Structure formats: structure tokens, C-alpha cells
Amino acid sequence: MATTKQRLSAILISAAILIVGAFTASLVRSGQTNETTNAVKGLEVTVEGVRNGNGNVIIFVMNDADAFNASEYATAVGYHEIPASPGNVTTTFPRLTSGRYAVVAFHDENGNRDFDMKHNTPAEGYAISGAKDASDTPLFDRAASDKSSRKVEMFYLD
């Protein structure tokens, strides 16, 4: 089983790969950010605890257990970059209407589209669905849900 440091390093590498090359394979942005309606269609993701409005919150939605457990975020079925805002940010993936999904996100505070590390410690916030605390790295079975609305908590270690 991968250590927390290994998983977070994998997030950094995979995020860079995804942003550069795999965006075309992921879903197109819906344009729906920071909106909540009673008739949400698709998967709604709320990232809680964003510490400031710098940069963007980058969200990956995964439906493949093996890829999620191996931190292969280039296989994400959903990808959004939304402007950061202190507190909570919400976006909707309208085409993800059914299935079990796990969510991974990070707060790209400096806007460089990389998950920055400082001496093997995350320098930016990150969130993984099903995580109980900053050192928890749940496997897909615990991280995934078939609910149409997901909330993930952002953790900051610096």
C-alpha cells in the first residue's frame, strides 16, 4: 500500500499529466460554478474549507477503482478548474448521472496547474473523498459513492 507521501507525489505527477494531455479526454466544463439548485442533474461536488480566493480549485472525478487506487488521475471521467473562493466552492458535472464516483481535488493557489510540494509535504491544499483527516488516503471502495452530491474537505499542511 502506498504511503501518504507517495500518494501525494503521485497526485502532483498525475495532475501535471492530466492538465497537459488528458483534458481533451475528460468532460468539457459545464460552466456551472458556485451554483446550487433544487433540480441538479449530474454529479454536484462541493469542496469545503478553501482557505482563500487565490488561484483555482482543480477537481478530478474517478469511476475506476484500480486507477483511483493507483493514483492514475489521467483516467478521470470528470475534470473542472473553478476559481477559488474562501469557504466552499461548488461545481456540477452534468454528464455524470449515475455510477460510483470518487473525488480528488487540490487548491492551485499560485495558478501554475501543479500540485506543489515543499520538502515532500504538500504546499497547497488537497481533498480526497472519504478521507477522515489529512493523513488518510482511502481506497476507492470507501472514497466512492453513488450519491448525486459529494462534499470533500480541503486539508492544508503548511
Side-chain angles (χ1 to χ4, degrees):
M1 184 179 285
T3 66
T4 300
K5 286 182 185 178
Q6 290 170 327
R7 288 203 64 159
L8 293 175
S9 293
I11 290 171
L12 170 65
I13 294 165
S14 297
I17 291 168
L18 178 65
I19 291 168
V20 172
F23 181 71
T24 56
S26 66
L27 297 176
V28 175
R29 282 196 239 177
S30 68
Q32 296 177 343
T33 58
N34 298 323
E35 295 180 10
T36 303
T37 64
N38 291 334
V40 172
K41 296 189 191 252
L43 176 66
E44 180 182 77
V45 175
T46 299
V47 180
E48 299 178 328
V50 177
R51 71 175 165 191
N52 59 50
N54 299 339
N56 293 308
V57 175
I58 298 176
I59 302 169
F60 306 93
V61 179
M62 307 284 296
N63 70 346
D64 182 282
D66 292 334
F68 178 83
N69 294 339
S71 302
E72 295 173 357
Y73 301 110
T75 65
V77 295
Y79 171 87
H80 283 189
E81 286 184 47
I82 57 176
S85 177
N88 301 341
V89 296
T90 301
T91 190
T92 302
F93 296 84
R95 295 182 184 159
L96 302 181
T97 57
S98 64
R100 287 179 49 80
Y101 300 108
V103 177
V104 175
F106 73 96
H107 184 182
D108 182 23
E109 290 181 270
N110 59 9
N112 68 353
R113 292 187 165 164
D114 284 328
F115 181 64
D116 296 323
M117 303 286 283
K118 184 176 182 180
H119 306 295
N120 294 325
T121 301
E124 296 178 309
Y126 63 93
I128 303 170
S129 57
K132 296 175 184 173
D133 57 41
S135 63
D136 189 16
T137 52
L139 295 176
F140 186 82
D141 287 343
R142 182 163 45 103
S145 171
D146 59 1
K147 294 181 180 178
S148 63
S149 178
R150 299 299 311 270
K151 293 182 180 182
V152 294
E153 181 180 352
M154 190 68 71
F155 299 109
Y156 296 88
L157 299 180
D158 68 338

